[in-house]
Amino acid sequence: MFEQAISAMASVVVDPYLLGLIFATTILGVIIGVLPGLGATTGAALLLPFTLTMDPVHAIAVLATIYVSATFAGSITAILINTPGTSAAAATTFDGYPLAQKGEAGRALGIAVISSTVGGIFSVLILCFAAPLLARVAYEFRSPEYFALTVFGLSMLASISAGGAVKNLIGGIFGVWLSTIGAERVTGIERFMFGNYELYEGLHFVPIFIGLFAISELLVQSKTIDKIIKTVSMKAVKLPTLEDYKKIWKTILRSCGIGTFIGVLPAEGATVASMIGYSEARRWSKNKKEFGKGSIEGIAGAEAANNAATGGAMVPTMVLGIPGSGTTAIILVGLMVHGLRPGVYLFTEQVEKVYQIFGSMFVANVMFMLMGLYAAKLFARVSLVPTQILWPIVFALSVIGAYAFQGQLLDVWLALIFGVIGFFARRHGFSVAPIAVGLILGEMVETNLQHSLKMFDGAWWMILTQPLALMFLVFAFLGLCGPMIFSWITRQKD
Amino acid sequence: MKNIYFVPLILSIFSLAVIAIALQLDTSPEMIVGDSMQARSFPIFLMILKLILIGILSFQFYKNNPKPVALEKYHTWGSMFLFLLFYLLTVYTDMFIGIFVVIFLMSILWGERRIWVTFLTATITPGLVFLLFDYVLKIRFPRGILMNLYYG
């Protein structure tokens, strides 16, 4: 197994086509990352239809590369123009931009590049070791455990950074309801189709995701047309000095752990990881006063954590079929479209493909480091592309991408409708990621609940007698009610 | 009624409508469903959960009194109108004519004043995307005025 994994990962380096694909996608990912509004999730949603005709490994490698490179690239604009290219880079602006204003933009970018690369590579290594181990545990799972696990995944939506807990749960339930559209799997009864037989097999994820992430973002961007961008000049990216390394190595290591752990939690993502990475860097720092004024520990803490979350988020995605973030939800759809069913099967029958995907992520981390060090200045200019040119192009890519998936116009209309729904949801403080996660998990929840009921002759409470299922349900309860219980206990103590 | 309760109201109406529709769904014979649940049960269960959450959300609004959301600029409404225009053009003329017109008008609506730039963007983008999908990905596009000329 170990030798097979190593040789599969190494095969990425000797495959010129795959290397070229990763290189081109890294450039695209960095461009997507530096364009404000076009984050990793939107980029992956737009690119998903282009990967349909590719070999499964190449397709997932493309999506994973977009994920890691766009997550890093958000820091370039965060440092140079005080506008995070992705929400995961928001914490980088706190110290990155002040340091750039002091005339040290090159140093700030150098620290961001190195921290992101270490974070990314660390999490890929953890992914390589943790994923097969978790898959072995998942081997024991039956319907009650999977049902409880998906309930746990849905409960974690309450803690997604954007939106409030209640709003996120409402979004998640709406997503689960969307998964019930079409013929019911056991009885074949048509639900909410209104005579439209193109919906017989249910709503497909691709047009919905394009609508929710790309088209809704287009409408959001239409509100920020008049925004004036001030750039900070920079000569070249500077690698951190030995003195800098001495100052930040502990912060990087800490953030690597934090980011990977946060990423592994279902429905948590790089944004939460970077915020916690930043606040922990501040808490442990000897120079707390420097934070907010250009602290290199602040930049390292946020950047190492957000890239470490990328590998972490791939663990539940590939092992359990539970996406760790909006982008991994799209990667999960990519896996399913290409016949790579996430779970134990993937780690027993498709080991080589799995490790080639991990190897691709590893190579992507090295490639974005090189691009960050030698071409960050060039990429920063891309962020100045006028929105009035960029977003109409995104519109064209979205509608053609939605159509290309199944070759039916209904998907284009669905993408537009869900774009408008997503926009109004965001306008009222609802995040769209819970809808996407709910849509993916919906079928799992219902099917496993049906199977569990059949297993226990309709006695639903028997699910609670299964130790692993009970554990996940307790976690779900704590995730939902824990904050309220703890605040009540604190109030009682006071 | 305050504007802030508009969202919970819409969500509640939606949930009740789903429950009403779900109650009209067919039921399957006992021998097929067995000890499991009817097709209507799960969506109804979800909507009841959602109604409970909407109640909590309304209570939060009552306690915190959030600011009402400001109306969008004309760019946003205009972009949504262009989606509708795209639908009409695609259905009655051709998808690529729809894309050309929407890119052109959206660029102008969003503030681009150089007509040649908008024209080039509106022409080159669908052209390149068509070439990529048609030649490389072998996707057949829906028939319309232009596609009839191309496919014959």
Side-chain angles (χ1 to χ4, degrees):
Chain A
M1 166 82 176
F2 184 72
E3 279 174 21
Q4 201 181 357
I6 294 289
S7 73
M9 283 180 81
S11 72
V12 175
V13 190
V14 292
D15 180 349
Y17 177 73
L18 186 54
L19 271 183
L21 201 60
I22 296 171
F23 179 72
T25 316
T26 308
I27 294 176
L28 196 62
V30 175
I31 290 172
I32 285 169
V34 296
L35 289 167
L38 259 187
T41 315
T42 313
L46 286 174
L47 270 185
L48 183 57
F50 290 87
T51 64
L52 295 177
T53 51
M54 289 181 186
D55 165 84
V57 171
H58 294 170
I60 306 304
V62 164
L63 296 174
T65 304
I66 287 287
Y67 185 27
V68 296
S69 53
T71 304
F72 149 71
S75 66
I76 297 177
T77 46
I79 290 166
L80 294 181
I81 60 175
N82 201 23
T83 306
T86 58
S87 59
T92 313
T93 58
F94 303 158
D95 282 292
Y97 188 64
L99 192 61
Q101 280 181 313
K102 287 179 187 171
E104 293 191 81
R107 184 176 170 221
L109 267 174
I111 300 232
V113 171
I114 296 299
S115 311
S116 296
T117 310
V118 175
I121 289 176
F122 176 86
S123 72
V124 172
L125 291 176
I126 295 292
L127 176 66
C128 293
F129 290 105
L133 291 179
L134 191 59
R136 269 185 224 168
V137 178
Y139 191 70
E140 304 293 324
F141 287 9
R142 294 166 307 149
S143 290
E145 285 80 13
Y146 271 115
F147 166 71
L149 182 68
T150 44
V151 170
F152 170 59
L154 286 170
S155 75
M156 292 302 284
L157 291 176
S159 53
I160 278 186
S161 54
V166 177
K167 285 181 176 177
N168 287 338
L169 289 173
I170 290 175
I173 289 177
F174 177 65
V176 176
W177 172 76
L178 288 175
S179 75
T180 65
I181 294 175
E184 205 261 344
R185 282 144 200 106
V186 179
T187 58
I189 287 174
E190 294 161 14
R191 297 189 291 195
F192 314 109
M193 285 166 53
F194 305 105
N196 197 332
Y197 284 91
E198 282 164 312
L199 293 175
Y200 193 81
E201 289 186 10
L203 291 174
H204 209 285
F205 304 134
V206 177
I208 308 294
F209 282 18
I210 288 176
L212 286 176
F213 293 111
I215 296 192
S216 77
E217 186 62 43
L218 180 152
L219 292 170
V220 169
Q221 291 298 320
S222 72
K223 292 166 69 180
T224 59
I225 293 169
D226 306 327
K227 200 176 170 188
I228 296 162
I229 295 172
K230 284 183 185 172
T231 53
V232 171
S233 62
M234 177 191 73
K235 283 179 184 170
V237 177
K238 283 181 192 166
L239 277 171
T241 59
L242 195 63
E243 207 55 38
D244 288 339
Y245 280 119
K246 278 182 189 168
K247 222 173 170 181
I248 60 172
W249 72 270
K250 280 182 189 166
T251 306
I252 291 179
L253 279 184
R254 192 184 309 113
S255 283
C256 284
I258 291 169
T260 309
F261 176 71
I262 300 280
V264 170
L265 294 177
E268 298 295 347
T271 310
V272 180
S274 69
M275 288 294 175
I276 296 178
Y278 180 82
S279 62
E280 286 303 303
R282 188 172 186 276
R283 198 158 73 93
W284 291 89
S285 173
K286 289 173 188 164
N287 310 302
K288 287 191 180 67
K289 284 183 183 171
E290 276 183 29
F291 277 75
K293 296 172 189 166
S295 161
I296 57 168
E297 287 169 274
I299 301 170
E303 279 303 307
N306 68 21
N307 266 73
T310 58
M314 290 292 279
V315 176
T317 307
M318 298 193 74
V319 179
L320 305 169
I322 294 188
S325 63
T327 322
T328 45
I330 294 166
I331 294 175
L332 182 60
V333 172
L335 284 168
M336 293 193 278
V337 165
H338 287 282
L340 297 174
R341 192 158 47 88
V344 187
Y345 161 80
L346 201 59
F347 287 85
T348 49
E349 306 296 321
Q350 311 270 1
V351 181
E352 203 177 313
K353 286 180 181 165
V354 168
Y355 279 93
Q356 278 179 329
I357 292 167
F358 294 170
S360 304
M361 285 180 76
F362 191 92
V363 172
N365 275 289
V366 177
M367 281 193 183
F368 81 62
M369 180 184 79
L370 296 174
M371 282 180 205
L373 288 177
Y374 298 106
K377 197 177 169 182
L378 189 70
F379 284 120
R381 288 192 183 166
V382 177
S383 66
L384 303 176
V385 170
T387 45
Q388 62 268 29
I389 299 297
L390 173 70
W391 288 95
I393 293 174
V394 169
F395 169 80
L397 290 174
S398 302
V399 292
I400 294 180
Y403 175 80
F405 181 64
Q406 294 185 107
Q408 56 184 35
L409 276 171
L410 177 72
D411 288 340
V412 179
W413 315 140
L414 282 174
L416 293 176
I417 290 167
F418 277 91
V420 175
I421 292 174
F423 167 72
F424 280 112
R426 292 165 75 168
R427 180 178 181 263
H428 289 281
F430 291 81
S431 170
V432 289
I435 303 177
V437 174
L439 178 61
I440 288 183
L441 295 184
E443 190 189 334
M444 270 174 85
V445 177
E446 189 180 9
T447 313
N448 286 304
L449 178 60
Q450 285 170 330
H451 291 170
S452 304
L453 288 173
K454 279 196 172 164
M455 258 173 82
F456 301 126
D457 301 326
W460 61 267
W461 60 89
M462 289 293 285
I463 295 172
L464 301 174
T465 62
Q466 309 302 304
L468 275 172
L470 179 67
M471 184 185 81
F472 286 127
L473 290 174
V474 168
F475 282 161
F477 177 77
L478 288 177
L480 289 173
C481 305
M484 278 188 282
I485 295 169
F486 288 127
S487 73
W488 183 78
I489 292 171
T490 317
R491 274 205 306 272
Q492 294 300 310
K493 274 185 184 173
D494 290 343
Chain B
M1 192 184 68
K2 282 185 179 178
N3 277 348
I4 50 168
Y5 295 112
F6 183 68
V7 173
L9 180 71
I10 295 285
L11 292 174
S12 304
I13 293 170
F14 173 81
S15 306
L16 292 171
V18 169
I19 292 174
I21 296 167
L23 287 171
Q24 311 295 318
L25 294 176
D26 296 335
T27 49
S28 32
E30 198 63 27
M31 61 182 290
I32 296 177
V33 180
D35 293 315
S36 189
M37 52 189 180
Q38 289 286 350
R40 60 166 66 166
S41 309
F42 190 63
I44 292 175
F45 170 70
L46 289 175
M47 289 304 120
I48 290 171
L49 266 183
K50 201 172 159 192
L51 282 169
I52 295 169
L53 288 168
I54 292 166
I56 297 172
L57 186 69
S58 305
F59 180 68
Q60 284 182 347
F61 283 177
Y62 171 73
K63 291 279 274 185
N64 304 329
N65 204 12
K67 282 182 188 171
V69 179
L71 268 178
E72 268 66 42
K73 293 178 188 173
Y74 68 92
H75 304 108
T76 311
W77 296 112
S79 303
M80 281 187 222
F81 170 75
L82 288 177
F83 292 171
L84 190 67
L85 181 68
F86 172 73
Y87 170 79
L88 295 172
L89 287 172
T90 304
V91 171
Y92 295 107
T93 59
D94 192 286
M95 190 184 189
F96 284 90
I97 293 177
I99 292 174
F100 170 82
V101 172
V102 170
I103 292 184
F104 187 79
L105 292 180
M106 197 182 277
S107 289
I108 291 171
L109 178 73
W110 286 36
E112 182 57 63
R113 292 289 165 261
R114 294 164 297 176
I115 296 295
W116 64 272
V117 173
T118 55
F119 183 80
L120 281 181
T121 314
T123 319
I124 293 172
T125 309
L128 285 178
V129 174
F130 173 76
L131 288 178
L132 176 71
F133 276 91
D134 188 61
Y135 284 101
V136 182
L137 305 178
K138 309 280 179 206
I139 303 285
R140 258 186 99 80
F141 286 99
R143 282 189 174 272
I145 296 170
L146 296 179
M147 287 304 107
N148 279 344
L149 289 175
Y150 180 74
Y151 292 129

